[in-house]
PDB file of all heavy atoms in Angstrom:
ATOM      1  N   ALA A   1      86.211 138.095 247.336  1.00 97.00           N
ATOM      2  CA  ALA A   1      86.024 139.089 248.400  1.00 97.00           C
ATOM      3  C   ALA A   1      85.420 140.349 247.798  1.00 97.00           C
ATOM      4  O   ALA A   1      85.659 140.671 246.636  1.00 97.00           O
ATOM      5  CB  ALA A   1      87.359 139.424 249.066  1.00 97.00           C
ATOM      6  N   ALA A   2      84.643 141.031 248.621  1.00 98.00           N
ATOM      7  CA  ALA A   2      84.188 142.374 248.280  1.00 98.00           C
ATOM      8  C   ALA A   2      85.152 143.325 248.980  1.00 98.00           C
ATOM      9  O   ALA A   2      85.460 143.141 250.162  1.00 98.00           O
ATOM     10  CB  ALA A   2      82.761 142.592 248.758  1.00 98.00           C
ATOM     11  N   VAL A   3      85.654 144.312 248.252  1.00 98.00           N
ATOM     12  CA  VAL A   3      86.630 145.246 248.810  1.00 98.00           C
ATOM     13  C   VAL A   3      86.000 146.632 248.856  1.00 98.00           C
ATOM     14  O   VAL A   3      85.507 147.132 247.844  1.00 98.00           O
ATOM     15  CB  VAL A   3      87.924 145.275 247.964  1.00 98.00           C
ATOM     16  CG1 VAL A   3      88.944 146.242 248.567  1.00 98.00           C
ATOM     17  CG2 VAL A   3      88.524 143.872 247.834  1.00 98.00           C
ATOM     18  N   PHE A   4      86.026 147.225 250.040  1.00 98.00           N
ATOM     19  CA  PHE A   4      85.464 148.552 250.241  1.00 98.00           C
ATOM     20  C   PHE A   4      86.580 149.500 250.669  1.00 98.00           C
ATOM     21  O   PHE A   4      87.435 149.131 251.470  1.00 98.00           O
ATOM     22  CB  PHE A   4      84.357 148.517 251.300  1.00 98.00           C
ATOM     23  CG  PHE A   4      83.193 147.692 250.861  1.00 98.00           C
ATOM     24  CD1 PHE A   4      83.100 146.355 251.209  1.00 98.00           C
ATOM     25  CD2 PHE A   4      82.200 148.240 250.057  1.00 98.00           C
ATOM     26  CE1 PHE A   4      82.041 145.580 250.777  1.00 98.00           C
ATOM     27  CE2 PHE A   4      81.135 147.476 249.616  1.00 98.00           C
ATOM     28  CZ  PHE A   4      81.055 146.142 249.979  1.00 98.00           C
ATOM     29  N   VAL A   5      86.557 150.711 250.102  1.00 98.00           N
ATOM     30  CA  VAL A   5      87.589 151.696 250.401  1.00 98.00           C
ATOM     31  C   VAL A   5      86.959 152.942 251.010  1.00 98.00           C
ATOM     32  O   VAL A   5      85.851 153.332 250.659  1.00 98.00           O
ATOM     33  CB  VAL A   5      88.399 152.065 249.137  1.00 98.00           C
ATOM     34  CG1 VAL A   5      89.206 150.877 248.652  1.00 98.00           C
ATOM     35  CG2 VAL A   5      87.515 152.592 248.032  1.00 98.00           C
ATOM     36  N   LEU A   6      87.666 153.520 251.937  1.00 98.00           N
ATOM     37  CA  LEU A   6      87.250 154.761 252.587  1.00 98.00           C
ATOM     38  C   LEU A   6      88.102 155.873 251.998  1.00 98.00           C
ATOM     39  O   LEU A   6      89.335 155.806 252.042  1.00 98.00           O
ATOM     40  CB  LEU A   6      87.473 154.651 254.095  1.00 98.00           C
ATOM     41  CG  LEU A   6      86.943 155.773 254.961  1.00 98.00           C
ATOM     42  CD1 LEU A   6      85.412 155.771 254.952  1.00 98.00           C
ATOM     43  CD2 LEU A   6      87.450 155.622 256.387  1.00 98.00           C
ATOM     44  N   CYS A   7      87.455 156.873 251.405  1.00 97.00           N
ATOM     45  CA  CYS A   7      88.155 157.959 250.722  1.00 97.00           C
ATOM     46  C   CYS A   7      87.702 159.303 251.272  1.00 97.00           C
ATOM     47  O   CYS A   7      86.523 159.478 251.585  1.00 97.00           O
ATOM     48  CB  CYS A   7      87.848 157.930 249.222  1.00 97.00           C
ATOM     49  SG  CYS A   7      88.232 156.374 248.432  1.00 97.00           S
ATOM     50  N   PRO A   8      88.617 160.271 251.338  1.00 97.00           N
ATOM     51  CA  PRO A   8      88.201 161.616 251.713  1.00 97.00           C
ATOM     52  C   PRO A   8      87.237 162.162 250.654  1.00 97.00           C
ATOM     53  O   PRO A   8      87.434 161.927 249.466  1.00 97.00           O
ATOM     54  CB  PRO A   8      89.505 162.423 251.711  1.00 97.00           C
ATOM     55  CG  PRO A   8      90.605 161.415 251.721  1.00 97.00           C
ATOM     56  CD  PRO A   8      90.054 160.179 251.105  1.00 97.00           C
ATOM     57  N   GLN A   9      86.216 162.854 251.087  1.00 95.00           N
ATOM     58  CA  GLN A   9      85.240 163.405 250.133  1.00 95.00           C
ATOM     59  C   GLN A   9      85.891 164.350 249.138  1.00 95.00           C
ATOM     60  O   GLN A   9      85.492 164.403 247.988  1.00 95.00           O
ATOM     61  CB  GLN A   9      84.109 164.127 250.861  1.00 95.00           C
ATOM     62  CG  GLN A   9      82.950 163.237 251.155  1.00 95.00           C
ATOM     63  CD  GLN A   9      81.717 164.020 251.569  1.00 95.00           C
ATOM     64  OE1 GLN A   9      81.785 165.076 252.164  1.00 95.00           O
ATOM     65  NE2 GLN A   9      80.570 163.467 251.247  1.00 95.00           N
ATOM     66  N   ASN A  10      86.899 165.078 249.578  1.00 94.00           N
ATOM     67  CA  ASN A  10      87.535 166.052 248.690  1.00 94.00           C
ATOM     68  C   ASN A  10      88.633 165.451 247.811  1.00 94.00           C
ATOM     69  O   ASN A  10      89.275 166.157 247.050  1.00 94.00           O
ATOM     70  CB  ASN A  10      88.097 167.234 249.495  1.00 94.00           C
ATOM     71  CG  ASN A  10      89.163 166.811 250.487  1.00 94.00           C
ATOM     72  OD1 ASN A  10      89.469 165.631 250.641  1.00 94.00           O
ATOM     73  ND2 ASN A  10      89.720 167.788 251.171  1.00 94.00           N
ATOM     74  N   ASP A  11      88.873 164.139 247.930  1.00 94.00           N
ATOM     75  CA  ASP A  11      89.878 163.451 247.101  1.00 94.00           C
ATOM     76  C   ASP A  11      89.420 162.012 246.912  1.00 94.00           C
ATOM     77  O   ASP A  11      89.954 161.087 247.509  1.00 94.00           O
ATOM     78  CB  ASP A  11      91.247 163.514 247.781  1.00 94.00           C
ATOM     79  CG  ASP A  11      92.372 162.997 246.896  1.00 94.00           C
ATOM     80  OD1 ASP A  11      92.096 162.563 245.755  1.00 94.00           O
ATOM     81  OD2 ASP A  11      93.533 163.016 247.354  1.00 94.00           O
ATOM     82  N   SER A  12      88.416 161.821 246.074  1.00 90.00           N
ATOM     83  CA  SER A  12      87.736 160.528 245.960  1.00 90.00           C
ATOM     84  C   SER A  12      88.597 159.403 245.388  1.00 90.00           C
ATOM     85  O   SER A  12      88.208 158.243 245.453  1.00 90.00           O
ATOM     86  CB  SER A  12      86.459 160.667 245.126  1.00 90.00           C
ATOM     87  OG  SER A  12      86.796 161.050 243.804  1.00 90.00           O
ATOM     88  N   GLY A  13      89.774 159.714 244.864  1.00 95.00           N
ATOM     89  CA  GLY A  13      90.660 158.668 244.371  1.00 95.00           C
ATOM     90  C   GLY A  13      91.646 158.176 245.415  1.00 95.00           C
ATOM     91  O   GLY A  13      92.242 157.113 245.278  1.00 95.00           O
ATOM     92  N   ARG A  14      91.808 158.927 246.465  1.00 97.00           N
ATOM     93  CA  ARG A  14      92.773 158.606 247.525  1.00 97.00           C
ATOM     94  C   ARG A  14      92.148 157.611 248.502  1.00 97.00           C
ATOM     95  O   ARG A  14      91.053 157.838 249.014  1.00 97.00           O
ATOM     96  CB  ARG A  14      93.161 159.900 248.247  1.00 97.00           C
ATOM     97  CG  ARG A  14      94.058 159.720 249.413  1.00 97.00           C
ATOM     98  CD  ARG A  14      95.466 159.484 248.953  1.00 97.00           C
ATOM     99  NE  ARG A  14      96.147 159.272 249.951  1.00 97.00           N
ATOM    100  CZ  ARG A  14      97.102 159.294 250.857  1.00 97.00           C
ATOM    101  NH1 ARG A  14      97.562 159.416 250.837  1.00 97.00           N
ATOM    102  NH2 ARG A  14      97.657 159.162 251.858  1.00 97.00           N
ATOM    103  N   ILE A  15      92.840 156.529 248.778  1.00 98.00           N
ATOM    104  CA  ILE A  15      92.327 155.515 249.707  1.00 98.00           C
ATOM    105  C   ILE A  15      92.907 155.781 251.095  1.00 98.00           C
ATOM    106  O   ILE A  15      94.120 155.686 251.304  1.00 98.00           O
ATOM    107  CB  ILE A  15      92.675 154.092 249.233  1.00 98.00           C
ATOM    108  CG1 ILE A  15      92.041 153.823 247.874  1.00 98.00           C
ATOM    109  CG2 ILE A  15      92.226 153.064 250.271  1.00 98.00           C
ATOM    110  CD1 ILE A  15      92.444 152.499 247.249  1.00 98.00           C
ATOM    111  N   ALA A  16      92.035 156.117 252.040  1.00 98.00           N
ATOM    112  CA  ALA A  16      92.448 156.346 253.424  1.00 98.00           C
ATOM    113  C   ALA A  16      92.436 155.042 254.213  1.00 98.00           C
ATOM    114  O   ALA A  16      93.146 154.893 255.198  1.00 98.00           O
ATOM    115  CB  ALA A  16      91.529 157.363 254.083  1.00 98.00           C
ATOM    116  N   GLY A  17      91.617 154.082 253.776  1.00 98.00           N
ATOM    117  CA  GLY A  17      91.537 152.789 254.434  1.00 98.00           C
ATOM    118  C   GLY A  17      90.713 151.847 253.592  1.00 98.00           C
ATOM    119  O   GLY A  17      90.041 152.267 252.647  1.00 98.00           O
ATOM    120  N   PHE A  18      90.785 150.565 253.925  1.00 98.00           N
ATOM    121  CA  PHE A  18      89.985 149.584 253.201  1.00 98.00           C
ATOM    122  C   PHE A  18      89.687 148.385 254.086  1.00 98.00           C
ATOM    123  O   PHE A  18      90.337 148.177 255.117  1.00 98.00           O
ATOM    124  CB  PHE A  18      90.685 149.135 251.912  1.00 98.00           C
ATOM    125  CG  PHE A  18      91.790 148.116 252.103  1.00 98.00           C
ATOM    126  CD1 PHE A  18      91.551 146.754 251.936  1.00 98.00           C
ATOM    127  CD2 PHE A  18      93.074 148.519 252.442  1.00 98.00           C
ATOM    128  CE1 PHE A  18      92.558 145.823 252.099  1.00 98.00           C
ATOM    129  CE2 PHE A  18      94.092 147.587 252.615  1.00 98.00           C
ATOM    130  CZ  PHE A  18      93.828 146.234 252.444  1.00 98.00           C
ATOM    131  N   TYR A  19      88.699 147.625 253.673  1.00 98.00           N
ATOM    132  CA  TYR A  19      88.417 146.343 254.307  1.00 98.00           C
ATOM    133  C   TYR A  19      87.813 145.407 253.275  1.00 98.00           C
ATOM    134  O   TYR A  19      87.334 145.848 252.231  1.00 98.00           O
ATOM    135  CB  TYR A  19      87.516 146.480 255.547  1.00 98.00           C
ATOM    136  CG  TYR A  19      86.141 147.031 255.286  1.00 98.00           C
ATOM    137  CD1 TYR A  19      85.085 146.191 254.925  1.00 98.00           C
ATOM    138  CD2 TYR A  19      85.865 148.387 255.414  1.00 98.00           C
ATOM    139  CE1 TYR A  19      83.809 146.695 254.701  1.00 98.00           C
ATOM    140  CE2 TYR A  19      84.612 148.897 255.198  1.00 98.00           C
ATOM    141  CZ  TYR A  19      83.583 148.047 254.845  1.00 98.00           C
ATOM    142  OH  TYR A  19      82.314 148.545 254.619  1.00 98.00           O
ATOM    143  N   THR A  20      87.865 144.117 253.585  1.00 98.00           N
ATOM    144  CA  THR A  20      87.281 143.108 252.697  1.00 98.00           C
ATOM    145  C   THR A  20      86.220 142.334 253.460  1.00 98.00           C
ATOM    146  O   THR A  20      86.320 142.149 254.678  1.00 98.00           O
ATOM    147  CB  THR A  20      88.335 142.115 252.178  1.00 98.00           C
ATOM    148  OG1 THR A  20      88.873 141.356 253.266  1.00 98.00           O
ATOM    149  CG2 THR A  20      89.455 142.835 251.444  1.00 98.00           C
ATOM    150  N   LEU A  21      85.208 141.887 252.723  1.00 98.00           N
ATOM    151  CA  LEU A  21      84.149 141.049 253.283  1.00 98.00           C
ATOM    152  C   LEU A  21      83.952 139.834 252.397  1.00 98.00           C
ATOM    153  O   LEU A  21      84.055 139.936 251.170  1.00 98.00           O
ATOM    154  CB  LEU A  21      82.818 141.810 253.352  1.00 98.00           C
ATOM    155  CG  LEU A  21      82.738 143.047 254.227  1.00 98.00           C
ATOM    156  CD1 LEU A  21      81.357 143.689 254.104  1.00 98.00           C
ATOM    157  CD2 LEU A  21      83.053 142.723 255.676  1.00 98.00           C
ATOM    158  N   CYS A  22      83.678 138.715 253.007  1.00 97.00           N
ATOM    159  CA  CYS A  22      83.277 137.519 252.273  1.00 97.00           C
ATOM    160  C   CYS A  22      82.493 136.612 253.224  1.00 97.00           C
ATOM    161  O   CYS A  22      82.514 136.800 254.435  1.00 97.00           O
ATOM    162  CB  CYS A  22      84.469 136.783 251.668  1.00 97.00           C
ATOM    163  SG  CYS A  22      85.590 136.045 252.853  1.00 97.00           S
ATOM    164  N   SER A  23      81.803 135.659 252.638  1.00 96.00           N
ATOM    165  CA  SER A  23      81.039 134.736 253.476  1.00 96.00           C
ATOM    166  C   SER A  23      81.982 133.695 254.078  1.00 96.00           C
ATOM    167  O   SER A  23      83.051 133.414 253.542  1.00 96.00           O
ATOM    168  CB  SER A  23      79.936 134.053 252.664  1.00 96.00           C
ATOM    169  OG  SER A  23      80.508 133.314 251.612  1.00 96.00           O
ATOM    170  N   THR A  24      81.571 133.162 255.204  1.00 96.00           N
ATOM    171  CA  THR A  24      82.354 132.138 255.879  1.00 96.00           C
ATOM    172  C   THR A  24      81.420 131.306 256.747  1.00 96.00           C
ATOM    173  O   THR A  24      80.219 131.584 256.829  1.00 96.00           O
ATOM    174  CB  THR A  24      83.479 132.767 256.742  1.00 96.00           C
ATOM    175  OG1 THR A  24      84.391 131.745 257.161  1.00 96.00           O
ATOM    176  CG2 THR A  24      82.924 133.474 257.965  1.00 96.00           C
ATOM    177  N   SER A  25      81.954 130.318 257.383  1.00 95.00           N
ATOM    178  CA  SER A  25      81.213 129.581 258.402  1.00 95.00           C
ATOM    179  C   SER A  25      82.219 129.111 259.444  1.00 95.00           C
ATOM    180  O   SER A  25      83.412 128.998 259.164  1.00 95.00           O
ATOM    181  CB  SER A  25      80.456 128.389 257.804  1.00 95.00           C
ATOM    182  OG  SER A  25      81.354 127.433 257.298  1.00 95.00           O
ATOM    183  N   ILE A  26      81.718 128.894 260.636  1.00 93.00           N
ATOM    184  CA  ILE A  26      82.561 128.359 261.703  1.00 93.00           C
ATOM    185  C   ILE A  26      81.822 127.201 262.349  1.00 93.00           C
ATOM    186  O   ILE A  26      80.596 127.131 262.318  1.00 93.00           O
ATOM    187  CB  ILE A  26      82.941 129.436 262.741  1.00 93.00           C
ATOM    188  CG1 ILE A  26      81.701 130.110 263.325  1.00 93.00           C
ATOM    189  CG2 ILE A  26      83.843 130.485 262.137  1.00 93.00           C
ATOM    190  CD1 ILE A  26      82.024 131.122 264.406  1.00 93.00           C
ATOM    191  N   GLU A  27      82.576 126.292 262.916  1.00 93.00           N
ATOM    192  CA  GLU A  27      81.962 125.132 263.565  1.00 93.00           C
ATOM    193  C   GLU A  27      81.225 125.577 264.819  1.00 93.00           C
ATOM    194  O   GLU A  27      81.773 126.335 265.631  1.00 93.00           O
ATOM    195  CB  GLU A  27      83.025 124.106 263.941  1.00 93.00           C
ATOM    196  CG  GLU A  27      83.652 123.417 262.760  1.00 93.00           C
ATOM    197  CD  GLU A  27      84.636 122.341 263.179  1.00 93.00           C
ATOM    198  OE1 GLU A  27      84.711 122.015 264.387  1.00 93.00           O
ATOM    199  OE2 GLU A  27      85.323 121.840 262.293  1.00 93.00           O
ATOM    200  N   LEU A  28      80.018 125.098 264.968  1.00 92.00           N
ATOM    201  CA  LEU A  28      79.234 125.403 266.163  1.00 92.00           C
ATOM    202  C   LEU A  28      80.014 125.024 267.415  1.00 92.00           C
ATOM    203  O   LEU A  28      80.065 125.787 268.381  1.00 92.00           O
ATOM    204  CB  LEU A  28      77.891 124.663 266.133  1.00 92.00           C
ATOM    205  CG  LEU A  28      77.013 124.828 267.374  1.00 92.00           C
ATOM    206  CD1 LEU A  28      76.530 126.271 267.498  1.00 92.00           C
ATOM    207  CD2 LEU A  28      75.838 123.873 267.334  1.00 92.00           C
ATOM    208  N   MET A  29      80.659 123.858 267.386  1.00 90.00           N
ATOM    209  CA  MET A  29      81.384 123.378 268.564  1.00 90.00           C
ATOM    210  C   MET A  29      82.630 124.220 268.867  1.00 90.00           C
ATOM    211  O   MET A  29      83.192 124.111 269.952  1.00 90.00           O
ATOM    212  CB  MET A  29      81.785 121.909 268.382  1.00 90.00           C
ATOM    213  CG  MET A  29      80.580 120.978 268.161  1.00 90.00           C
ATOM    214  SD  MET A  29      79.239 121.241 269.337  1.00 90.00           S
ATOM    215  CE  MET A  29      79.849 120.332 270.724  1.00 90.00           C
ATOM    216  N   GLY A  30      83.043 125.065 267.928  1.00 88.00           N
ATOM    217  CA  GLY A  30      84.187 125.931 268.150  1.00 88.00           C
ATOM    218  C   GLY A  30      83.843 127.210 268.875  1.00 88.00           C
ATOM    219  O   GLY A  30      84.727 127.952 269.293  1.00 88.00           O
ATOM    220  N   LEU A  31      82.550 127.475 269.026  1.00 89.00           N
ATOM    221  CA  LEU A  31      82.101 128.670 269.739  1.00 89.00           C
ATOM    222  C   LEU A  31      82.053 128.410 271.238  1.00 89.00           C
ATOM    223  O   LEU A  31      81.901 127.255 271.668  1.00 89.00           O
ATOM    224  CB  LEU A  31      80.709 129.077 269.250  1.00 89.00           C
ATOM    225  CG  LEU A  31      80.635 129.617 267.829  1.00 89.00           C
ATOM    226  CD1 LEU A  31      79.184 129.680 267.353  1.00 89.00           C
ATOM    227  CD2 LEU A  31      81.274 130.995 267.755  1.00 89.00           C
ATOM    228  N   PRO A  32      82.140 129.444 272.049  1.00 87.00           N
ATOM    229  CA  PRO A  32      81.987 129.259 273.495  1.00 87.00           C
ATOM    230  C   PRO A  32      80.624 128.643 273.812  1.00 87.00           C
ATOM    231  O   PRO A  32      79.642 128.876 273.095  1.00 87.00           O
ATOM    232  CB  PRO A  32      82.082 130.682 274.058  1.00 87.00           C
ATOM    233  CG  PRO A  32      82.810 131.456 273.017  1.00 87.00           C
ATOM    234  CD  PRO A  32      82.434 130.839 271.709  1.00 87.00           C
ATOM    235  N   LYS A  33      80.563 127.873 274.871  1.00 88.00           N
ATOM    236  CA  LYS A  33      79.343 127.134 275.240  1.00 88.00           C
ATOM    237  C   LYS A  33      78.120 128.048 275.389  1.00 88.00           C
ATOM    238  O   LYS A  33      77.031 127.696 274.955  1.00 88.00           O
ATOM    239  CB  LYS A  33      79.556 126.372 276.558  1.00 88.00           C
ATOM    240  CG  LYS A  33      80.624 125.305 276.483  1.00 88.00           C
ATOM    241  CD  LYS A  33      80.167 124.123 275.677  1.00 88.00           C
ATOM    242  CE  LYS A  33      81.236 123.031 275.716  1.00 88.00           C
ATOM    243  NZ  LYS A  33      81.198 122.162 274.583  1.00 88.00           N
ATOM    244  N   ASP A  34      78.287 129.228 275.986  1.00 87.00           N
ATOM    245  CA  ASP A  34      77.141 130.114 276.170  1.00 87.00           C
ATOM    246  C   ASP A  34      76.575 130.595 274.834  1.00 87.00           C
ATOM    247  O   ASP A  34      75.370 130.803 274.698  1.00 87.00           O
ATOM    248  CB  ASP A  34      77.496 131.303 277.071  1.00 87.00           C
ATOM    249  CG  ASP A  34      78.577 132.198 276.478  1.00 87.00           C
ATOM    250  OD1 ASP A  34      79.573 131.661 275.955  1.00 87.00           O
ATOM    251  OD2 ASP A  34      78.420 133.433 276.547  1.00 87.00           O
ATOM    252  N   VAL A  35      77.422 130.732 273.825  1.00 88.00           N
ATOM    253  CA  VAL A  35      76.958 131.144 272.496  1.00 88.00           C
ATOM    254  C   VAL A  35      76.292 129.962 271.798  1.00 88.00           C
ATOM    255  O   VAL A  35      75.257 130.116 271.146  1.00 88.00           O
ATOM    256  CB  VAL A  35      78.131 131.707 271.654  1.00 88.00           C
ATOM    257  CG1 VAL A  35      77.680 132.042 270.241  1.00 88.00           C
ATOM    258  CG2 VAL A  35      78.741 132.924 272.338  1.00 88.00           C
ATOM    259  N   GLN A  36      76.871 128.779 271.951  1.00 87.00           N
ATOM    260  CA  GLN A  36      76.293 127.567 271.341  1.00 87.00           C
ATOM    261  C   GLN A  36      74.843 127.371 271.768  1.00 87.00           C
ATOM    262  O   GLN A  36      74.001 126.986 270.959  1.00 87.00           O
ATOM    263  CB  GLN A  36      77.098 126.328 271.742  1.00 87.00           C
ATOM    264  CG  GLN A  36      78.431 126.189 271.092  1.00 87.00           C
ATOM    265  CD  GLN A  36      79.144 124.929 271.555  1.00 87.00           C
ATOM    266  OE1 GLN A  36      78.514 123.907 271.826  1.00 87.00           O
ATOM    267  NE2 GLN A  36      80.463 124.993 271.659  1.00 87.00           N
ATOM    268  N   LYS A  37      74.551 127.635 273.021  1.00 89.00           N
ATOM    269  CA  LYS A  37      73.208 127.414 273.568  1.00 89.00           C
ATOM    270  C   LYS A  37      72.149 128.254 272.874  1.00 89.00           C
ATOM    271  O   LYS A  37      70.986 127.878 272.840  1.00 89.00           O
ATOM    272  CB  LYS A  37      73.191 127.720 275.070  1.00 89.00           C
ATOM    273  CG  LYS A  37      73.969 126.740 275.904  1.00 89.00           C
ATOM    274  CD  LYS A  37      73.950 127.163 277.362  1.00 89.00           C
ATOM    275  CE  LYS A  37      74.855 126.269 278.180  1.00 89.00           C
ATOM    276  NZ  LYS A  37      74.937 126.721 279.575  1.00 89.00           N
ATOM    277  N   ARG A  38      72.557 129.401 272.332  1.00 87.00           N
ATOM    278  CA  ARG A  38      71.601 130.309 271.697  1.00 87.00           C
ATOM    279  C   ARG A  38      71.407 130.054 270.206  1.00 87.00           C
ATOM    280  O   ARG A  38      70.637 130.757 269.562  1.00 87.00           O
ATOM    281  CB  ARG A  38      72.044 131.756 271.908  1.00 87.00           C
ATOM    282  CG  ARG A  38      71.913 132.186 273.358  1.00 87.00           C
ATOM    283  CD  ARG A  38      72.398 133.584 273.542  1.00 87.00           C
ATOM    284  NE  ARG A  38      73.825 133.482 273.906  1.00 87.00           N
ATOM    285  CZ  ARG A  38      74.706 134.438 273.793  1.00 87.00           C
ATOM    286  NH1 ARG A  38      74.361 135.602 273.314  1.00 87.00           N
ATOM    287  NH2 ARG A  38      75.950 134.271 274.148  1.00 87.00           N
ATOM    288  N   LEU A  39      72.108 129.060 269.678  1.00 87.00           N
ATOM    289  CA  LEU A  39      72.042 128.799 268.234  1.00 87.00           C
ATOM    290  C   LEU A  39      71.457 127.420 267.958  1.00 87.00           C
ATOM    291  O   LEU A  39      71.566 126.515 268.797  1.00 87.00           O
ATOM    292  CB  LEU A  39      73.446 128.891 267.629  1.00 87.00           C
ATOM    293  CG  LEU A  39      74.084 130.279 267.648  1.00 87.00           C
ATOM    294  CD1 LEU A  39      75.561 130.195 267.290  1.00 87.00           C
ATOM    295  CD2 LEU A  39      73.361 131.213 266.698  1.00 87.00           C
ATOM    296  N   PRO A  40      70.866 127.243 266.778  1.00 86.00           N
ATOM    297  CA  PRO A  40      70.389 125.907 266.402  1.00 86.00           C
ATOM    298  C   PRO A  40      71.567 124.938 266.327  1.00 86.00           C
ATOM    299  O   PRO A  40      72.712 125.355 266.152  1.00 86.00           O
ATOM    300  CB  PRO A  40      69.776 126.110 265.017  1.00 86.00           C
ATOM    301  CG  PRO A  40      69.612 127.568 264.849  1.00 86.00           C
ATOM    302  CD  PRO A  40      70.585 128.242 265.761  1.00 86.00           C
ATOM    303  N   ARG A  41      71.309 123.702 266.414  1.00 88.00           N
ATOM    304  CA  ARG A  41      72.356 122.675 266.462  1.00 88.00           C
ATOM    305  C   ARG A  41      72.858 122.250 265.085  1.00 88.00           C
ATOM    306  O   ARG A  41      73.128 121.089 264.835  1.00 88.00           O
ATOM    307  CB  ARG A  41      71.857 121.445 267.234  1.00 88.00           C
ATOM    308  CG  ARG A  41      71.476 121.744 268.663  1.00 88.00           C
ATOM    309  CD  ARG A  41      72.744 122.037 269.488  1.00 88.00           C
ATOM    310  NE  ARG A  41      72.396 122.489 270.826  1.00 88.00           N
ATOM    311  CZ  ARG A  41      72.605 123.714 271.273  1.00 88.00           C
ATOM    312  NH1 ARG A  41      73.132 124.621 270.509  1.00 88.00           N
ATOM    313  NH2 ARG A  41      72.282 124.055 272.489  1.00 88.00           N
ATOM    314  N   TYR A  42      73.029 123.184 264.178  1.00 90.00           N
ATOM    315  CA  TYR A  42      73.643 122.881 262.891  1.00 90.00           C
ATOM    316  C   TYR A  42      75.149 122.752 263.088  1.00 90.00           C
ATOM    317  O   TYR A  42      75.727 123.451 263.928  1.00 90.00           O
ATOM    318  CB  TYR A  42      73.351 123.980 261.872  1.00 90.00           C
ATOM    319  CG  TYR A  42      71.886 124.162 261.577  1.00 90.00           C
ATOM    320  CD1 TYR A  42      71.285 125.408 261.720  1.00 90.00           C
ATOM    321  CD2 TYR A  42      71.096 123.091 261.159  1.00 90.00           C
ATOM    322  CE1 TYR A  42      69.937 125.580 261.453  1.00 90.00           C
ATOM    323  CE2 TYR A  42      69.746 123.273 260.894  1.00 90.00           C
ATOM    324  CZ  TYR A  42      69.174 124.513 261.030  1.00 90.00           C
ATOM    325  OH  TYR A  42      67.855 124.678 260.771  1.00 90.00           O
ATOM    326  N   PRO A  43      75.814 121.903 262.329  1.00 93.00           N
ATOM    327  CA  PRO A  43      77.265 121.738 262.520  1.00 93.00           C
ATOM    328  C   PRO A  43      78.064 123.014 262.215  1.00 93.00           C
ATOM    329  O   PRO A  43      79.075 123.278 262.835  1.00 93.00           O
ATOM    330  CB  PRO A  43      77.657 120.621 261.558  1.00 93.00           C
ATOM    331  CG  PRO A  43      76.419 120.127 260.913  1.00 93.00           C
ATOM    332  CD  PRO A  43      75.277 120.976 261.338  1.00 93.00           C
ATOM    333  N   GLN A  44      77.594 123.800 261.241  1.00 94.00           N
ATOM    334  CA  GLN A  44      78.276 125.027 260.848  1.00 94.00           C
ATOM    335  C   GLN A  44      77.365 126.238 261.102  1.00 94.00           C
ATOM    336  O   GLN A  44      76.161 126.162 260.882  1.00 94.00           O
ATOM    337  CB  GLN A  44      78.642 124.998 259.362  1.00 94.00           C
ATOM    338  CG  GLN A  44      79.639 123.903 258.991  1.00 94.00           C
ATOM    339  CD  GLN A  44      81.043 124.230 259.465  1.00 94.00           C
ATOM    340  OE1 GLN A  44      81.511 125.356 259.334  1.00 94.00           O
ATOM    341  NE2 GLN A  44      81.711 123.251 260.028  1.00 94.00           N
ATOM    342  N   VAL A  45      77.967 127.318 261.527  1.00 94.00           N
ATOM    343  CA  VAL A  45      77.251 128.564 261.765  1.00 94.00           C
ATOM    344  C   VAL A  45      77.652 129.532 260.648  1.00 94.00           C
ATOM    345  O   VAL A  45      78.844 129.784 260.446  1.00 94.00           O
ATOM    346  CB  VAL A  45      77.626 129.149 263.143  1.00 94.00           C
ATOM    347  CG1 VAL A  45      76.973 130.494 263.360  1.00 94.00           C
ATOM    348  CG2 VAL A  45      77.262 128.177 264.247  1.00 94.00           C
TER     349      VAL A  45
END
């Protein structure tokens, strides 16, 4: 995961909040039908 922290400018060591990001995929068939229609027919999105 990539971890990002939000810090006050005047206290750059203090963590006010954070979030993580990473790659993923979801099954095309698990999406609502209206969303499926707008995507290519690959098994994973």
